[in-house]
Amino acid sequence: MHDDDIANTMRALGHPVRLEILRILATQQQGQCCCADVTDSLTLAQSTVSQHIKVLLDAGLIERKPHGTRNRYYLRHDRLAELSSSFGGLLKGLAPVAANKETEQA
Amino acid sequence: MHDDDIANTMRALGHPVRLEILRILATQQQGQCCCADVTDSLTLAQSTVSQHIKVLLDAGLIERKPHGTRNRYYLRHDRLAELSSSFGGLLKGLAPVAANKETEQA
DNA sequence: CCGGTTGATCGGTGAATTGCGATGGAAGAT
DNA sequence: ATCTTCCATCGCAATTCACCGATCAACCGG
């Protein structure tokens, strides 16, 4: 993951509503959840929620699966893990040189 | 750290230039570095760099210390660590609910 | 076929962000 | 005192963001 990608993902996470949406998705068993569920849990218009979802979608943090008349959204745990790793790498890169160890992984 | 704080910090990190600035700060020995150093390493106007620095400052990710005629900037490793912890907590909160078996297939 | 529901997308508004050059104050040098 | 360097801050333009209501395609149940 490059700077731009990390920055992109960070920006997607850089909004409390989006964080909340991720949490809502995580709360559903199996992670299945449709837009209406999210909208019900927030005090925002459906179009706004849909827009936030799109941001998360574009950032690759969630996944959309059409299911009949509604869409289901899933957390992408793989990408979350990847982000975690990239973020860890970023922080390690920022750590003082003296404390730098050799624990790199991609 | 609350959602809003995390989101705030994330947004501060959500720009490649800001990530680069952090990296530049980390590269200097002792972490000391002034605005001119950063500006030299980037192809942006000094005022723009100063603005980005302010964002990082407001997010508490770096620290300013006046030093004679110039200011020195330091990475706030403590806050970075705190962020790391909060971020880890966030990801853990997003992880699949533990009341399930782990061997599931997508 | 028709009515209901879901939800992505469009158009618009206001606020925030990103970038710039210019200004000006503070501190060291002369 | 003056000159110079550093850089935070102030406008200013352009772009993006957040939010909304309205619309419209897709799907399901009669």
Side-chain angles (χ1 to χ4, degrees):
Chain A
M1 242 179 161
H2 260 322
D3 261 29
D4 286 341
D5 305 304
I6 297 182
N8 244 352
T9 312
M10 291 299 190
R11 210 173 44 215
L13 293 175
H15 195 292
V17 166
R18 260 149 12 215
L19 252 28
E20 185 60 24
I21 290 177
L22 290 182
R23 246 191 268 279
I24 290 170
L25 290 205
T27 313
Q28 314 293 313
Q29 52 268 65
Q30 303 308 317
Q32 53 188 274
C33 185
C34 69
C35 179
D37 294 333
V38 180
T39 305
D40 285 348
S41 306
L42 301 170
T43 51
L44 288 171
Q46 177 266 321
S47 55
T48 304
V49 171
S50 207
Q51 189 149 333
H52 280 300
I53 285 179
K54 184 171 163 49
V55 173
L56 293 171
L57 224 33
D58 288 346
L61 292 171
I62 65 178
E63 184 182 10
R64 173 192 300 169
K65 283 189 187 169
H67 190 265
T69 179
R70 52 184 73 184
N71 290 326
R72 281 190 181 162
Y73 289 97
Y74 299 87
L75 242 38
R76 293 198 48 184
H77 296 290
D78 55 327
R79 303 284 272 112
L80 252 13
E82 191 184 336
L83 171 64
S84 175
S85 157
S86 292
F87 185 64
L90 170 68
L91 287 184
K92 191 166 76 63
L94 295 181
V97 183
N100 243 343
K101 279 182 191 162
E102 198 170 326
T103 339
E104 58 180 271
Q105 177 180 349
Chain B
M1 239 179 165
H2 254 313
D3 262 28
D4 286 340
D5 304 305
I6 297 183
N8 243 358
T9 312
M10 290 298 191
R11 208 174 50 218
L13 292 176
H15 195 293
V17 166
R18 248 125 49 193
L19 252 27
E20 185 60 26
I21 290 177
L22 291 183
R23 247 193 267 279
I24 291 170
L25 289 205
T27 313
Q28 315 293 313
Q29 53 269 64
Q30 305 309 315
Q32 52 190 275
C33 185
C34 68
C35 179
D37 295 333
V38 179
T39 305
D40 285 348
S41 305
L42 301 170
T43 51
L44 288 171
Q46 176 266 321
S47 55
T48 304
V49 172
S50 207
Q51 183 103 358
H52 280 300
I53 285 179
K54 184 172 164 46
V55 173
L56 292 171
L57 224 32
D58 288 346
L61 292 171
I62 64 178
E63 183 182 11
R64 173 192 298 167
K65 282 188 187 169
H67 190 266
T69 180
R70 54 183 72 184
N71 289 327
R72 281 189 181 163
Y73 289 96
Y74 299 85
L75 242 36
R76 293 198 48 185
H77 296 289
D78 55 328
R79 303 284 273 112
L80 253 14
E82 191 183 337
L83 172 64
S84 174
S85 155
S86 293
F87 185 64
L90 170 68
L91 286 184
K92 193 182 292 183
L94 295 181
V97 185
N100 258 329
K101 27 187 175 178
E102 316 234 330
T103 46
E104 58 175 286
Q105 49 197 8

